[in-house]
Amino acid sequence: MKVFDEIESEVQSYARAFPRVFNKAQGEYLYDEEGNRYLDFLAGAGTLNYGHNNPLFKEALIEYIQRDGITHGLDLHTKAKREFLESFYDKILKPRGLDYVVQFTGPTGTNAVEAALKIARKYKGRENIISFTNGFHGCSIGALSATGNAHHRGAAGVSMVGITRMPYDGYLGDNVDTTAYLDKVLSDSSSGVDHPAAVLVETVQGEGGINAASVGWLRNLQTVCRKHDVLLIVDDIQAGCGRTGSYFSFEQAGITPDIVTLSKSLSGYGLPFAVVLMRPDLDQWKPGEHNGTFRGNNLAFVTAKAAIDHYWSDERFAREVLRKGDYIGQRLEQIVEKYGDGNMTTRGRGMFRGLNCVSGKLAGRITREAFRNGLVIETSGADDHVVKTLCPLTISDENLKSALDIVEAAVGKVLKGTEVPEAYDFFSGKNASAERKDQLAGAA
């Protein structure tokens, strides 16, 4: 570990939580240099939906490299790009009735978000963007401005402007539709909120704590956007590519965003790759107006095509994700019922789930205990209080059960003799359990 301590920047984070030197990975397994094996519930922060070194993608990639296929091509036309676009259109866009053009941005999610914000502002001629509490969109300045996390925002060193923050679904309580508030401020010329170019939203907030917006809220959000001539941008970088069951996370709500950003598992193999999907009339770029040296990762085109062809040519894979997601949800609910003291809760949908431990300290102890027992799993949320399940979608039933057994054992060990703290309700001024007692007393 000496070279990492002496030469690598202090900015490293995951390496602190999982202090091992890893040198091999396959499927849902990671291996360290000592030969220890770990089940992976981190999966590249959602980049490895199809597992490590998926053999189907590896075969296609090796064949492409061995025949001297183009690796780097800027935005030149290549056979690999053409074949990816054909598969993406035929098997993803066309069956869903989505009429989008594809922009290849720099290969990171944050660059795709930057491009989406720029094209929305350019098209509408307005600066303001609406984003949401607990949203995470990246760490470059434009995307960071739309991000809520104070830890990341604090590193910017400059003022971040051009964003108005609105409450996400559930932020003001379960019975408040925050899209009505958005509608109100956009309807009131004295609200102080400048007419926005776009609304930027995650249907499931991964880094924000696995907050899943309801179908009704997402539909209402689209209605508000249409009413006020505002573009709807869905950041599907972590929730997309099958994580919630459908290829796009917004499909269950039946909405059609004007712009979509994709990255992470888009390449299928962990290779850097990001795109912006937009309505054809929004494509107002001048040539080279948003470019980047690495906007043509042909190796990623090869593996992305293989992923689409194998997993998304029919509905079987999506059904499997939903089935496994239901199992994860059931297991987490059982853990909550057994150990949660009435305070722990579950969150998310599909295979994008979380265990809300209320306390970041408790969640951290749980993930550290799980790691000691062979499971790599992280936390998320404003206070790192949610244990986040983010395993490969291809994980076997046996290993999925084994991993959740480790989670349950870790929760049981950490909470032995320790109570889960009560969540504070800011609107009643009481802890949640106290409020429930008052409700029960009133009912009696």
Side-chain angles (χ1 to χ4, degrees):
M1 304 289 282
K2 183 179 178 182
V3 67
F4 304 110
D5 294 335
E6 292 183 351
I7 297 182
E8 190 174 2
S9 166
E10 291 296 322
V11 78
Q12 58 187 286
S13 60
Y14 291 113
R16 299 177 190 277
F18 311 110
R20 297 290 188 278
V21 178
F22 297 98
N23 73 332
K24 181 182 175 181
Q26 216 297 309
E28 54 263 37
Y29 287 118
L30 278 167
Y31 299 83
D32 66 21
E33 281 190 323
E34 285 71 44
N36 299 307
R37 188 176 71 175
Y38 302 84
L39 284 166
D40 186 5
F41 259 47
L42 174 61
T47 302
L48 297 162
N49 280 5
Y50 312 101
H52 294 272
N53 287 301
N54 188 298
L56 296 168
F57 310 162
K58 181 164 61 176
E59 181 180 355
L61 184 58
I62 290 173
E63 189 276 331
Y64 182 81
I65 292 171
Q66 286 182 332
R67 64 177 173 84
D68 293 330
I70 298 291
T71 298
H72 184 277
L74 295 170
D75 66 357
L76 295 172
H77 299 320
T78 66
K79 182 181 177 183
K81 183 196 288 189
R82 181 180 65 202
E83 292 180 346
F84 163 74
L85 285 170
E86 289 170 344
S87 283
F88 191 73
Y89 175 76
D90 290 340
K91 297 178 180 178
I92 301 299
L93 297 181
K94 185 178 178 181
R96 292 162 178 80
L98 297 173
D99 184 17
Y100 292 136
V101 296
V102 181
Q103 178 187 356
F104 298 102
T105 66
T108 60
T110 192
N111 193 270
V113 171
E114 296 282 355
L117 298 181
K118 285 167 66 176
I119 197 61
R121 286 167 169 149
K122 178 180 175 71
Y123 183 83
K124 288 297 185 183
R126 309 172 200 145
E127 177 183 358
N128 193 28
I129 302 289
I130 302 293
S131 67
F132 292 93
T133 51
N134 288 305
F136 182 88
H137 301 286
C139 290
S140 52
I141 292 299
L144 186 59
S145 296
T147 291
N149 186 281
H151 173 73
H152 291 95
R153 290 170 62 84
V158 297
S159 298
M160 290 173 285
V161 297
I163 297 290
T164 299
R165 198 94 44 203
M166 287 288 156
Y168 192 71
D169 190 19
Y171 191 79
L172 300 180
D174 293 338
N175 298 317
V176 178
D177 181 359
T178 58
T179 64
Y181 174 64
L182 175 61
D183 189 13
K184 171 66 175 177
V185 299
L186 295 184
S187 299
D188 183 357
S189 62
S190 292
S191 67
V193 175
D194 294 333
H195 193 186
V199 166
L200 174 64
V201 68
E202 302 158 277
T203 66
V204 182
Q205 295 181 323
E207 301 305 310
I210 321 298
N211 308 307
S214 69
V215 164
W217 188 86
L218 291 169
R219 289 174 178 168
N220 290 343
L221 180 62
Q222 177 173 264
T223 298
V224 172
C225 288
R226 301 289 186 264
K227 175 181 176 181
H228 295 282
D229 186 31
V230 173
L231 299 177
L232 177 60
I233 306 172
V234 169
D235 180 344
D236 229 11
I237 288 165
Q238 191 166 91
C241 300
R243 176 58 52 180
T244 65
S246 52
Y247 189 84
F248 297 107
S249 70
F250 55 81
E251 291 181 53
Q252 293 98 324
I255 64 173
T256 304
D258 302 293
I259 301 173
V260 181
T261 60
L262 288 175
S263 186
K264 287 194 182 289
S265 280
L266 179 59
S267 79
Y269 203 72
L271 297 171
F273 188 18
V275 299
V276 173
L277 312 177
M278 69 187 91
R279 289 184 351 226
D281 61 300
L282 300 181
D283 188 19
Q284 300 294 312
W285 293 114
K286 296 176 183 177
E289 200 169 22
H290 184 94
N291 60 15
T293 304
F294 296 100
R295 65 192 183 280
N297 187 346
N298 283 255
L299 302 184
F301 294 153
V302 171
T303 54
K305 171 181 162 49
I308 292 168
D309 289 347
H310 184 76
Y311 291 103
W312 298 101
S313 291
D314 55 38
E315 295 297 319
R316 287 177 295 177
F317 183 66
R319 287 195 294 267
E320 278 293 285
V321 173
L322 290 173
R323 180 184 65 81
K324 292 175 185 177
D326 287 343
Y327 175 72
I328 295 171
Q330 292 165 11
R331 287 294 306 271
L332 294 183
E333 288 289 352
Q334 291 169 5
I335 292 171
V336 163
E337 184 175 348
K338 187 174 181 179
Y339 300 104
D341 296 325
N343 299 321
M344 190 181 285
T345 58
T346 65
R347 298 176 171 186
R349 58 187 172 93
M351 290 180 72
F352 205 178
R353 303 275 181 168
L355 191 65
N356 176 20
C357 301
V358 184
S359 161
K361 182 178 180 180
L362 283 180
R365 288 175 59 192
I366 289 167
T367 57
R368 288 191 294 273
E369 176 63 22
F371 184 57
R372 283 190 286 269
N373 288 281
L375 178 66
V376 175
I377 189 169
E378 68 168 330
T379 58
S380 72
D383 300 309
D384 292 319
H385 57 287
V386 177
V387 176
K388 182 179 181 181
T389 68
L390 207 62
C391 60
L393 307 181
T394 53
I395 189 171
S396 70
D397 288 355
E398 180 183 4
N399 283 336
L400 183 58
K401 179 182 183 302
S402 296
L404 292 169
D405 287 345
I406 293 172
V407 172
E408 180 169 358
V411 171
K413 182 174 181 178
V414 168
L415 294 184
K416 186 176 183 179
T418 301
E419 292 187 355
V420 177
E422 300 174 5
Y424 185 78
D425 188 326
F426 286 87
F427 306 104
S428 70
K430 300 177 181 179
N431 288 327
S433 61
E435 184 178 19
R436 284 196 296 273
K437 290 177 182 176
D438 287 350
Q439 291 171 345
L440 290 172

